[in-house]
Amino acid sequence: MADRRGILIILSSPSGAGKSTLARRLMQWDPTLRFSVSATTRAPREGETDGVEYYFKDRTEFEQMVAADEMLEHAHVFGNFYGTPKGPVQTAMAAGRDTLFDIDWQGGQQIRNSALGKDVVSIFVLPPSIAELENRLRGRAQDSEDVIAARMEKSISEISHWAEYDYVLVNRDIDAAETELKTILTAERARRDRQPWLNDFVRALNVEFDER
Ligand code: 5GP
């Protein structure tokens, strides 16, 4: 039995706010963190590998996973289906390993409202401005104006859920945001209820005190 259940760290933001960079940096900082690899029906992008960024599924396979109750949460995002496979999360939690989720507000809401809600720490990343967000979205790829406009609409709708999160970071500077994120995780791990071993530890301190 692990000392404590793993924490479910939910990171959400509109795309272009720096969430993927922050997730990557957090994983590098603490290699014991497990990244939750989602299943999706969207096509792989260049450089993406099945089983690393996502499990790429067709619509039928995805629906079968949902029907078999294998998803912790699932949602329709930007024309595709995305979902979090349940099994690996349960295994990591039982082993006391913290899991990082890069999922949208719908997924965040479903996990927060599930039986695992008390193990959730949710963090929303805001862009410093809409102009900056648009710059980042434009810088990414040669997308048509229509695609950019649709992404901006999606972003503003994602941002409307900011107040449902425990913590909110404004990503003005990626290094500062990274430090804030690490601080949040460090503090959450130090919560009394996440350190059940403390009872025995303090009892031992008392014994040591009495015996000296
Ligand atoms: P992308 O296709 O750009 O990788 O991701 C699009 C959006 O889907 C991002 O906001 C990402 O956080 C979200 N997403 C990725 N995986 C999941 C998932 O398993 N569940 C939910 N609800 N959203 C996800």
Side-chain angles (χ1 to χ4, degrees):
M1 248 300 261
D3 225 18
R4 64 163 172 87
R5 284 193 310 276
I7 304 172
L8 308 180
I9 308 150
I10 297 180
L11 198 57
S12 300
S13 80
S15 61
K19 175 181 55 169
S20 317
T21 307
L22 287 170
R24 199 170 50 245
R25 290 193 185 191
L26 197 66
M27 299 291 301
Q28 280 164 358
W29 173 67
D30 181 354
T32 72
L33 275 178
R34 186 189 151 267
F35 183 75
S36 171
V37 180
S38 298
T40 183
T41 60
R42 91 151 158 71
R45 295 191 187 118
E46 200 161 315
E48 287 183 333
T49 312
D50 188 42
V52 178
E53 288 84 6
Y54 285 104
Y55 295 106
F56 295 100
K57 305 280 178 197
D58 63 29
R59 179 82 185 257
T60 310
E61 290 169 325
F62 190 94
E63 281 169 358
Q64 276 165 356
M65 288 182 78
V66 174
D69 196 26
E70 288 171 19
M71 296 292 199
L72 185 56
E73 60 77 33
H74 62 96
H76 191 242
V77 186
F78 220 36
N80 293 295
F81 290 94
Y82 293 82
T84 302
K86 197 188 277 182
V89 177
Q90 287 170 336
T91 308
M93 277 190 93
R97 248 183 111 177
D98 301 337
T99 302
L100 180 63
F101 299 80
D102 173 344
I103 60 178
D104 82 333
W105 68 270
Q106 303 175 79
Q109 216 170 61
Q110 289 173 52
I111 299 181
R112 208 181 293 114
N113 292 336
S114 77
L116 304 180
K118 60 187 172 316
D119 299 300
V120 167
V121 174
S122 61
I123 305 153
F124 197 90
V125 184
L126 285 170
S129 67
I130 294 298
E132 180 64 31
L133 188 73
E134 195 165 1
N135 264 341
R136 291 187 197 165
L137 283 182
R138 283 182 189 281
R140 254 185 198 185
Q142 264 90 47
D143 289 318
S144 68
E145 283 304 310
D146 281 0
V147 171
I148 306 257
R151 292 233 173 97
M152 290 303 290
E153 282 297 326
K154 166 81 178 51
S155 293
I156 210 71
S157 128
E158 184 80 24
I159 286 173
S160 72
H161 293 276
W162 69 278
E164 296 163 21
Y165 287 71
D166 299 322
Y167 296 93
V168 182
L169 306 180
V170 181
N171 184 12
R172 295 193 178 85
D173 172 273
I174 190 77
D175 293 333
E178 178 188 351
T179 302
E180 266 188 90
L181 192 56
K182 292 173 183 170
T183 306
I184 291 166
L185 184 53
T186 304
E188 286 289 342
R189 284 174 169 167
R191 288 182 69 102
R192 179 168 37 78
D193 56 0
R194 294 220 167 92
Q195 303 187 84
W197 57 275
L198 279 174
N199 281 330
D200 290 341
F201 182 77
V202 175
R203 208 169 291 128
L205 288 182
N206 281 312
V207 170
E208 187 186 348
F209 178 83
D210 290 343
E211 287 175 357
R212 84 197 198 291

